[in-house]
Amino acid sequence: MDGNDNIQVLRLVELDHTSNKLVPYTQEFRVHGFDIYWDTLDPTELTFMFVNHQRTGDGISIFQHKIGTRFLRHIKTVKSPLLYAANDVVATSRSTFYATNDMRSTNKLMRMIEILFGMPWGHIVYYGHEKMLTTAASGISYPNGIARSADGNTIYVAASSEPSINIFRPRPDGSLELMGKTVFGNFVPDNISVDTATGQLLVSGKCSSMFM
């Protein structure tokens, strides 16, 4: 959507290294959560990060968008054995991010059991400037949506099976320190957005844990 509230369709493209030209994106694109990062050092460019459930494994697909153009250019897709049940992603720069793995299991039956018993087996991974994934926090019951404060000093994670919002402080190495929680009664948090003007959280979810 542009500044005039018009919806636009953006084409996915990638660089053909043989011809050095942009061509249609050829990889699978099966999207779950996503985030958009705006760098004040270059206000004409946006970075899009998508949870991409490819059949060869989950990944975070990173695209660049030049404001005023009609395409997203694929930069890379980050994959790792640590990223196997990806749910959501939040960008911390043009190339770094946190992502949630909502459960330990990938088998459907075991995932249902994890949800039913609220097992704290999910975790958050961090992809830093070293270009490798590490575990940033663990022991979370169904880590779902993830968001970042405007100043970057706080990471919010919806723990849907608790149900709560976990509040973390990033350490210099990218790991996350749990600072507190907001626990809900009969509300299951899902996705989180941060109002950059006020710092308030906008949380979508379900009104009963039975929906889980």
Side-chain angles (χ1 to χ4, degrees), residues 11-95:
R11 295 182 295 113
L12 302 182
V13 299
E14 61 189 13
L15 181 66
D16 183 335
H17 294 284
T18 302
S19 64
N20 205 34
K21 294 182 179 179
L22 294 177
V23 298
Y25 180 67
T26 57
Q27 297 185 30
E28 279 188 304
F29 194 58
R30 305 169 70 180
V31 179
H32 197 159
F34 75 97
D35 192 27
I36 303 173
Y37 182 83
W38 180 66
D39 192 338
T40 55
L41 297 177
D42 186 357
T44 66
E45 189 172 277
L46 299 174
T47 300
F48 286 68
M49 297 189 183
F50 299 94
V51 171
N52 193 352
H53 294 300
Q54 297 178 334
R55 279 174 283 191
T56 54
D58 287 356
I60 304 299
S61 293
I62 302 174
F63 292 79
Q64 286 182 347
H65 171 63
K66 206 74 171 177
I67 295 174
T69 66
R70 294 293 184 91
F71 59 85
L72 298 177
R73 177 186 171 186
H74 180 241
I75 303 303
K76 62 180 175 181
T77 295
V78 177
K79 289 190 172 183
S80 165
L82 285 178
L83 192 66
Y84 56 85
N87 187 303
D88 199 12
V89 60
V90 63
T92 54
S93 74
R94 293 181 183 180
S95 58

Side-chain angles (χ1 to χ4, degrees), residues 151-203:
D151 61 10
N153 292 329
T154 309
I155 299 294
Y156 303 98
V157 177
S160 296
S161 289
E162 287 195 12
S164 69
I165 299 293
N166 289 4
I167 305 167
F168 293 96
R169 181 172 62 192
R171 299 188 181 100
D173 63 357
S175 62
L176 294 174
E177 178 184 2
L178 181 64
M179 303 302 294
K181 298 183 181 185
T182 297
V183 179
F184 298 98
N186 205 28
F187 176 75
V188 178
D190 188 344
N191 295 312
I192 311 171
S193 292
V194 178
D195 186 326
T196 55
T198 65
Q200 292 181 320
L201 300 188
L202 306 175
V203 183

Side-chain angles (χ1 to χ4, degrees), residues 4 7 11 35 44-45 47 53 68 86 98 107 111 119-120 125 127 134 140 148 163 183 185 190 192 206:
N4 297 318
I7 295 176
R11 295 182 295 113
D35 192 27
T44 66
E45 189 172 277
T47 300
H53 294 300
Y98 288 98
N107 175 274
R111 285 175 66 85
M119 307 304 296
V125 295
Y127 185 76
T134 57
I140 306 168
R148 174 176 173 264
V183 179
D190 188 344
I192 311 171
K206 303 169 181 66

